[in-house]
């Protein structure tokens, strides 16, 4: 009914069907204004009397109102027939629009609306506001009624509801709302139902294998993108394009197609179009529910799992149970069997059945359970009953594990965890043997995070928000290491990262990056070492490799520059466009990337990961953290990565290192494209490609081919030569020791030979020590060698000191007794003190500090570092002193008067002989230990020249005994003559004569 084209009213009337023809004439008595006209009369509802009430149905293009649907608790919805016991409901047009809204008023004009409803001030305020709103909205076609339902505080907020009998045009509704907002200086929020219509799938419930389509249509273009939502169990999810959902949009329609049905998609669907202006918000929405007929996931088991036959005539009772995934669907279950003795006998709970199986070995019994949903769709599961026949091998029950047939795997469900426990009964020619249990029990809290990661991209919720939620859940779970302290939990956590790396496109918020790095760092806690290593990796990919691959992808997707540092992961991000160098540091590992235009460069350091990545070369072990370098441009024409690694352990002498990169092809570390810069800069690596890098250090020092053999031969020769030397000295002692100087010389030679003999013997034996007795004897031999080698040099010092004394003080003579006392103190006591003090100073001779078990010799840890310096420094001082002494003695001898007496002449000859021996021995020992110092200072990794030095030192050092024999015995004239004299004296006459002739001829 329209008046002056400004207001329209909508009336509902219940009448007899026969009165419809005269309805217009019957309006006249009720209308006093002749300008009012009645038009657009429609019949909406038809009712007929039935026992106990009235049965009503809606006319075409009409439906039960939302109010009727709610009051009937869902029994009178849509356009189906409905029975009413009291007042019959009235159908409304499919074009009926309901507007729910709120208006926020400013100023003091409407404060009275917040007072109690019984007060006159409230009534006046309420009527005033209702009149203002009705004046505006009643001019819209189809206007029915407007009611204010509630007032709230926040200035003054009024909640209201408007009914329209027909569709409302979007533009007209917006214009009227803008007028009301402007007139009242208020902001208005509206939500319409009916402007858009949601057309649901024709089948209800939706069947499991259907691909239902939901269409949301409008009569005009709303010029705003649609939003789809699903409300399930009190939670609202926004729907996007994903693996299970597809949203398409046309000018007057938007469509949602569900490609895969599961319980996740059951609930109330809403499509909406939001219009936002300065002070008004209008949302057009339509909602409807979907009921889905599901099919269950079935876990079928039998108890006992392996029924055992005592003899072939037995029959066994077995209970088969099908456990179904929990959901609200009501299934009809049926059971079938094959090769059963009898059964199956379905039990009252529908999910279990008893069967009887025979012990006839020719049969292979099986049982199948089938479940049917409301759409008559079926799903089944079958179990083969593996009977342990009379002659079959089996593993006897042990603990939780029942009798199990050989060649099969027993399975137990995890308690309060997801996944099974498995234990295989291995078949051998003689008996069945239990193998160790393999548990894949994942704690429920960890498994729930994994399940969330699996569905982040199905379309139920924003991919970005879903991923952020999963990262947050993972961070909370991994904060407690007790939650992920098993291989199964660790594997599930890494799988979460793998799923996320495969599904998401970017990580753009700092909070998500923080959760991602924090959770990833938590997984690398040192206390979780066994969680990484105590388990079975899936397929050919190790758990650590999956972790590294996922982290590299996720780091590449990270788009924030402010990166928080974590305990076990440090990430450095920098933007280097059009620059030749890009520098970053992670965990004190300095990285320089050289490339023409790398773009964004991300460098990450991972602690502990080096211990978990597989290393196929057992000769090397990791000696740095893993450092990953990635760039925005994955394929670069040329790139050079310089990494100065901070080594985990100091590199031992002569130990080789190599720079490696992780090779995804070979699943191992590869040195290809990487170069170690040598001992001078032992942490520096240069690689010519992008990857994850590390430094591997050899477990053993480098070996020089043939050096051990040369040492064995030289020491053996020296030991024999020294024994000969001592024997010769003993034989000719009385003949050659005729002066004090000769006594000094030969007594010194004897002690030098004794010391060197013991040292060489210890050296020779230590080369043959086995691993079992190395710890016991190695330290002992080191102490002996240290003492004997020092003693040898100190006896040389005694000889040179005595010569120097005689040269400087020619008229002062020292008795042999005094000389021997002082020589013993200097030659044995001093070295002994040095050896003992050294032993005590280095943790009582601790391996690695005092001595090296690999070499059975003193340790060298660097310049002026290590126990070796307690040998090097005294030897260096003695060699230098000997050289100076020889220079002084030579000068004094050359200046000696010509007319000396015979005694002085003999002493002079003896002194010359001693001096010659010292001159010969000192260069031998000096040159030998000059090479020894070089060996100590030079590293085998420094190049070929070091190998030459090692060979020179070993040849000179191991053959010292031979040199002593040659220089102090065979090449000494007095010793030579004494030997010949002894030979003549003891030889027969003919032999003596021929020897004399030979001797005369040689002269």
């Amino acid at each position: 009914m329209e008046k002056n084209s400004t207001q329209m009213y909508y009336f509902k009337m219940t009448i007899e069907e026969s009165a419809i023809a005269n309805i217009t004439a019957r309006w006249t008595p009720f209308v006093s204004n002749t300008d009012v006209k009645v038009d657009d009369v429609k019949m909406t509802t038809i009712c007929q009397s039935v026992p106990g009430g009235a049965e009503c149905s809606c006319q075409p293009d009409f439906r039960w109102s939302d109010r009727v649907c709610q009051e009937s608790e869902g029994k009178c919805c849509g356009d189906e027939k409905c029975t009413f016991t009291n007042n019959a409901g009235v159908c409304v047009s499919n074009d009926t629009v309901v507007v729910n809204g709120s208006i926020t008023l400013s100023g003091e004009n409407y404060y009275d609306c917040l007072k109690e409803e019984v007060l006159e001030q409230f009534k006046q305020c309420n009527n005033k506001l209702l009149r203002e709103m009705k004046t505006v909205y009643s001019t819209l076609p189809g206007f029915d009624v407007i009611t204010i339902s509630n007032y709230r505080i926040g200035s003054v907020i009024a909640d209201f509801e408007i009914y329209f009998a027909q569709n409302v045009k979007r533009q007209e509704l917006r214009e009227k709302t803008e007028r009301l907002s402007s007139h009242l200086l208020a902001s208005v929020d509206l939500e319409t139902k009916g402007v858009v219509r949601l057309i649901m799938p024709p089948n209800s419930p939706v069947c499991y294998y259907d691909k239902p389509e939901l269409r949301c249509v409008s009569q005009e273009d709303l010029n705003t993108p649609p939003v789809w939502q699903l409300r399930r169990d009190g939670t609202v999810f926004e729907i996007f394009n994903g693996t299970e959902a597809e949203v398409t949009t046309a000018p007057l329609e938007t469509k949602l197609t569900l490609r895969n049905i599961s319980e996740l998609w059951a609930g109330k669907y809403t499509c909406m179009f939001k219009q936002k202006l300065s002070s008004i918000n209008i949302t057009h929405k339509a909602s409807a529910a979907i009921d889905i007929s599901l099919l269950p996931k079935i876990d079928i088991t039998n108890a006992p799992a392996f029924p055992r036959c005592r003899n072939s005539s037995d029959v066994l009772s077995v209970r088969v149970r099908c456990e179904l995934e929990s959901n609200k669907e009501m299934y009809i279950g049926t059971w079938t069997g094959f090769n059963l003795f009898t059964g199956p006998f379905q039990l009252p709970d529908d999910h279990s059945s008893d069967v009887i199986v025979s012990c006839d070995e020719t049969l292979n019994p099986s049982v199948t359970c089938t479940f049917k949903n409301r759409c008559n769709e079926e799903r089944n599961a079958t179990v083969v009953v593996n009977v342990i026949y009379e002659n079959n091998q089996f593993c006897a029950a042990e603990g939780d594990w029942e009798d199990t047939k050989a060649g099969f795997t027993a399975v137990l469900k995890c308690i309060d965890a997801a996944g099974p426990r498995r234990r295989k009964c291995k078949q051998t020619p003689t008996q069945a043997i239990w193998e160790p249990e393999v548990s894949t029990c994942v704690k429920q809290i960890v498994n729930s995070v994994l399940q969330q990661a699996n569905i982040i991209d199905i379309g139920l919720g924003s991919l970005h928000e879903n991923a952020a939620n999963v990262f947050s859940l993972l961070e909370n779970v991994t904060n407690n290491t007790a939650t992920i302290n098993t291989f199964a939990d660790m594997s599930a956590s890494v799988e979460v990262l793998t799923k996320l790396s495969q599904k998401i496109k970017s990580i753009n918020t700092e909070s998500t990056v923080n959760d991602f790095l924090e959770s990833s760092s938590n997984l690398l806690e040192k206390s979780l070492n066994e969680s990484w290593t105590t388990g079975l990796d899936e397929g050919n990919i190790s758990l650590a490799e999956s972790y590294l691959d996922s982290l590299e992808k996720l780091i590449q997707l990270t788009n924030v520059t402010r990166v928080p540092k974590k305990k076990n992961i440090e990430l450095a991000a920098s933007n280097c466009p059009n620059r030749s160098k890009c520098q970053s540091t992670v965990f004190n590992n300095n990285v320089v990337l050289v490339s023409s235009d790398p773009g964004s460069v991300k460098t990450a350091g991972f602690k502990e990961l080096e211990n978990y990545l597989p290393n196929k070369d057992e000769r090397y072990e990791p000696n740095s953290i893993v450092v990953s370098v990635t760039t925005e441009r994955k394929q670069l024409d040329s790139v050079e990565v310089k990494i100065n690694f901070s080594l985990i352990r100091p590199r031992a002498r002569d130990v080789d290192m190599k720079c490696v990169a992780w090779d995804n092809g070979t699943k191992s570390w590869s040195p290809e494209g990487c170069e170690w810069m040598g001992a001078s800069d032992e942490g520096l690596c240069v690689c010519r490609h992008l990857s994850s890098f590390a430094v591997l250090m050899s477990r053993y020092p480098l070996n020089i081919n043939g050096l051990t053999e040369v040492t064995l031969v030289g020491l053996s020769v020296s030991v024999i030569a020294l024994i000969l030397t001592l024997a010769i000295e003993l034989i000719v002692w009385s003949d050659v020791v005729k002066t004090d100087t000769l006594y000094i010389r030969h007594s010194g030679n004897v002690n030098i030979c004794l010391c060197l003999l013991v040292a060489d013997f210890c050296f020779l034996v230590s080369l043959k020590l086995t691993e079992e007795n190395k710890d016991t004897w190695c330290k002992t031999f080191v102490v002996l060698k240290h003492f004997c080698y020092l003693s040898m040099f100190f006896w040389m010092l005694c000889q040179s000191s005595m010569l120097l004394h005689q040269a400087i003080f020619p008229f002062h003579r020292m008795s042999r007794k005094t000389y021997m006392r002082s020589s013993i103190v200097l030659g044995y006591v001093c070295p002994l003190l040095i050896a003992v003090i050294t032993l005590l100073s280095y943790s009582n001779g601790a391996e690695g500090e005092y001595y090296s078990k690999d070499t059975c010799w003193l340790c060298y840890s660097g310049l002026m570092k290590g126990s070796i310096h307690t040998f090097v420094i005294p030897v260096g001082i003695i060699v230098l002193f000997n050289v100076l002494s020889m220079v002084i003695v030579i000068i004094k001898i050359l200046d000696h008067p010509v007319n000396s007496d015979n005694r002085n002449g003999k002493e002079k000859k003896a002194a010359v002989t001693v001096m010659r021996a010292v001159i010969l021995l000192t260069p031998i020992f000096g040159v030998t230990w000059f090479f020894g110092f070089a060996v100590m200072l030079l590293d085998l990794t420094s190049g070929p020249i070091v190998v030459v030095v090692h060979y020179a030192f070993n040849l000179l050092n191991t053959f010292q005994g031979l040199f002593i024999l040659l220089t102090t015995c065979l090449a000494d004239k007095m010793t030579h003559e004494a030997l010949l004299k002894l030979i003549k004296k003891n030889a027969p006459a003919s032999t003596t004569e021929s020897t004399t002739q030979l001797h005369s001829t040689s002269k």
Side-chain angles (χ1 to χ4, degrees), residues 288-488:
I290 280 186
D291 181 19
I292 297 175
S293 182
L294 300 171
L295 283 177
K297 294 179 181 177
I298 307 173
D299 181 20
I300 186 168
T301 57
N302 59 282
F306 299 91
R308 182 184 171 193
C309 292
R310 304 291 177 175
N311 56 68
S312 59
S313 60
D314 287 348
V315 291
L316 305 174
S317 176
V318 180
R319 175 159 294 184
V320 181
R321 179 169 180 79
C322 285
E323 294 190 28
L324 309 183
E325 182 184 37
S326 176
N327 56 55
K328 298 177 181 179
E329 185 73 20
M330 299 299 294
Y331 300 104
I332 299 174
T334 58
W335 294 82
T336 55
F338 182 71
N339 284 341
L340 301 176
F341 184 80
T342 184
F345 306 105
Q346 185 168 327
L347 299 178
D349 65 357
D350 269 357
H351 295 167
S352 298
S353 173
D354 283 340
V355 299
I356 307 297
V357 297
S358 168
C359 287
D360 183 355
E361 197 166 349
T362 60
L363 301 177
N364 190 23
S366 65
V367 183
T368 300
C369 60
T370 303
F371 292 93
K372 186 182 295 185
N373 65 10
R374 287 173 289 167
C375 292
N376 289 323
E377 297 170 317
E378 294 182 352
R379 178 171 287 172
N380 58 53
T382 301
V383 63
V384 176
V385 182
N386 296 299
V387 179
I388 303 175
Y389 295 107
E390 184 179 3
N391 298 319
N392 289 159
Q393 289 183 356
F394 70 95
C395 294
E398 183 181 291
D400 295 341
W401 305 96
E402 298 179 348
D403 293 343
T404 300
K405 191 172 183 178
F408 290 82
T409 299
V411 180
L412 293 177
K413 289 185 177 179
C414 298
I415 300 175
D416 298 328
R421 299 162 55 198
R422 292 185 173 88
R423 193 176 186 189
K424 186 175 181 180
C425 178
K426 183 179 180 182
Q427 186 171 12
T428 68
T430 56
Q431 62 178 339
I433 301 173
W434 280 116
E435 291 188 351
E437 175 186 337
V438 177
S439 173
T440 57
C441 298
V442 179
K443 295 181 181 67
Q444 294 291 359
I445 189 172
V446 179
N447 186 63
S448 65
V449 179
L450 178 58
Q451 299 310 313
Q452 290 293 318
N454 286 330
I455 63 173
I456 64 168
D457 63 338
I458 64 174
L460 202 57
S462 162
L463 176 61
H464 169 72
E465 292 178 355
N466 288 346
N469 179 56
V470 172
F471 277 127
S472 177
L473 292 174
L474 185 63
E475 191 264 339
N476 290 332
V477 166
T478 57
N479 272 337
N480 182 5
T481 55
T483 307
I484 50 174
N485 60 356
T486 68
F487 181 81

Side-chain angles (χ1 to χ4, degrees), residues 15 64 109 128 200 229 251 255 432 464 467 471 490 513 593 595 632 694 764 818 858 889 895 899 951:
I15 61 173
W64 297 110
N109 296 335
K128 176 183 175 182
M200 303 299 288
Q229 289 181 342
K255 182 169 66 176
H464 169 72
F471 277 127
M490 181 63 71
V513 173
L593 184 141
S595 182
E632 180 182 2
L764 192 61
T818 304
L858 300 170
V889 169
D895 290 341
N899 58 349
Y951 272 113

